[in-house]
Amino acid sequence: MKTVFFGTPEYALPCLQSLLKSGIEVPMICTRPARRAGRGRGLRQTPIQQAGNRLGIEIFTPERLDANAANKIHAVDADAFVVAAYGRMIPHQLLEATELGAINVHPSLLPRYRGPSPVVSAILNGDSCTGVSIILLDAGMDTGPLLMQSKRMPIQADERADTLTSRLFATGAEMLPKALFGIAHGDLEPQHQDDASASIAKLVQKSDGEIDWNLSADRIERMMRAYHPWPGIFTKMKGEQLKLLSLRKGIAETPLTNDQPGLVSIDDQGQLVALAGDREWLALEKLQLAGRKPLPGPEFLRGLPGIVGTVLGS
């Protein structure tokens, strides 16, 4: 069996490796173009391009999947396309270009959380479980028929989006060859999704990481985990951006009587804390002011004692 693999981040690498290990031929990888990144603003290839180079696979990095790009991909004469965190919609002319179709690894139990950020949404909403779906892509946003789904996978209480995403794609990678061979041999019957039960995971924007201190401590702590590593969570402190890299929910005694959300104080253990929502406290375990290095709460406090009594976000 011959496939073209569409993928971009590190998360997608187990899927590529699983195809190759199972004997499925991957003569071409389609990935996003290299982008400028880092302090030197040098061009940085995607993790999947780097892996493809090491494996000696032809790499294709179109800016757009237009007619010219489609012609180049058609020339591979693949039996199927495999899509894992590619980051773009696959156009209609490619969806119907192979005998088996375009098979996608999606990190949720569809039809829950169709769209670009299912893992973020699961953590933000406090879900206890999630899973992986293997689907045939159609013209909609993750609306195609189901081929396989994993069992329900527990979300750990302290799990962040990057580690959960890695776990889900590792599971999807194990399922992927079974799905491909199953549909090729007629052993899998695609099942339509229940559109009435569908929910949408919206695209995350940088502004989503800004904290509203009127939210509950639970919600803010889930934001910290859901938006890791990007966009992270942040607030304003005396006009400067303050990143909150690590938070912990807890109850703190404080001598301050002001109950304004965002108020910074010190608890009875000497820990820097901030008030959230309705008299809930969050320990500020690791912080970073714009342009400075990250610091644990106690070190941050020693360098900036004036933070005590400040109302964050104001």
Side-chain angles (χ1 to χ4, degrees):
M1 185 186 302
K2 187 191 298 186
T3 68
V4 173
F5 184 80
F6 293 75
T8 296
E10 190 79 28
Y11 304 131
L13 184 54
C15 296
L16 174 61
Q17 294 170 330
S18 180
L19 295 176
L20 296 171
K21 186 177 180 180
S22 66
I24 295 171
E25 186 182 352
V26 183
M28 175 187 282
I29 288 171
C30 188
T31 188
R32 301 289 291 273
R35 299 297 186 206
R36 297 197 179 278
R39 290 186 177 181
R41 304 303 295 167
L43 284 174
R44 183 175 298 174
Q45 296 176 348
T46 71
I48 290 297
Q49 181 172 0
Q50 294 172 27
N53 289 336
R54 292 193 299 270
L55 293 165
I57 299 173
E58 180 184 356
I59 304 296
F60 184 37
T61 59
E63 284 287 351
R64 293 177 300 279
L65 291 177
D66 55 16
N68 289 333
N71 288 338
K72 184 175 178 67
I73 296 168
H74 286 161
V76 175
D77 194 25
D79 301 298
F81 298 146
V82 172
V83 183
Y86 175 55
R88 284 201 183 110
M89 294 280 286
I90 307 299
H92 178 75
Q93 67 265 33
L94 284 175
L95 291 177
E96 298 183 350
T98 66
E99 180 182 355
L100 301 180
I103 294 162
N104 181 55
V105 181
H106 185 82
S108 81
L109 293 175
L110 291 168
R112 189 166 176 80
Y113 300 139
R114 294 171 175 172
S117 54
V119 176
V120 169
S121 297
I123 294 175
L124 274 181
N125 292 334
D127 292 1
S128 60
C129 294
T130 185
V132 182
S133 302
I134 310 290
I135 66 170
L136 280 171
L137 289 177
D138 63 11
M141 176 71 79
D142 302 317
T143 57
L146 292 162
L147 296 176
M148 296 179 70
Q149 286 191 310
S150 71
K151 295 179 180 179
R152 293 167 65 85
M153 299 171 60
I155 299 174
Q156 305 303 320
D158 60 349
E159 197 157 23
R160 298 189 179 195
D162 57 346
T163 56
L164 180 55
T165 302
S166 293
R167 279 207 298 130
L168 292 170
F169 273 100
T171 297
E174 294 176 2
M175 299 163 58
L176 191 51
K178 299 175 188 176
L180 277 164
F181 288 126
I183 194 169
H185 299 152
D187 299 329
L188 282 180
E189 184 66 30
Q191 303 293 319
H192 290 294
Q193 296 186 39
D194 178 11
D195 291 340
S197 301
S199 59
I200 303 299
K202 72 179 184 68
L203 181 67
V204 175
Q205 308 287 341
K206 182 173 176 59
S207 59
D208 292 331
E210 185 164 9
I211 298 170
D212 176 357
W213 290 97
N214 292 294
L215 296 172
S216 69
D218 275 343
R219 178 70 179 187
I220 295 172
E221 189 272 342
R222 292 200 303 269
M223 286 174 61
M224 185 266 297
R225 293 188 290 114
Y227 294 141
H228 180 82
W230 190 89
I233 59 170
F234 51 89
T235 188
K236 289 286 175 54
M237 189 191 75
K238 298 180 179 179
E240 292 188 79
Q241 181 173 284
L242 177 66
K243 294 181 181 179
L244 302 178
L245 304 177
S246 181
L247 297 171
R248 177 175 49 82
K249 294 180 294 182
I251 299 174
E253 297 296 332
T254 174
L256 298 178
T257 57
N258 188 334
D259 62 355
Q260 186 171 357
L263 177 70
V264 178
S265 183
I266 303 174
D267 70 5
D268 54 357
Q269 304 297 316
Q271 173 70 56
L272 200 61
V273 295
L275 184 66
D278 185 18
R279 300 297 299 173
E280 299 177 299
W281 291 94
L282 286 165
L284 309 181
E285 296 185 318
K286 194 171 186 180
L287 310 90
Q288 183 181 19
L289 272 174
R292 304 188 192 180
K293 66 179 182 180
L295 292 173
E299 288 187 37
F300 191 93
L301 178 60
R302 285 196 294 272
L304 200 67
I307 191 175
V308 175
T310 299
V311 177
L312 300 176
S314 61

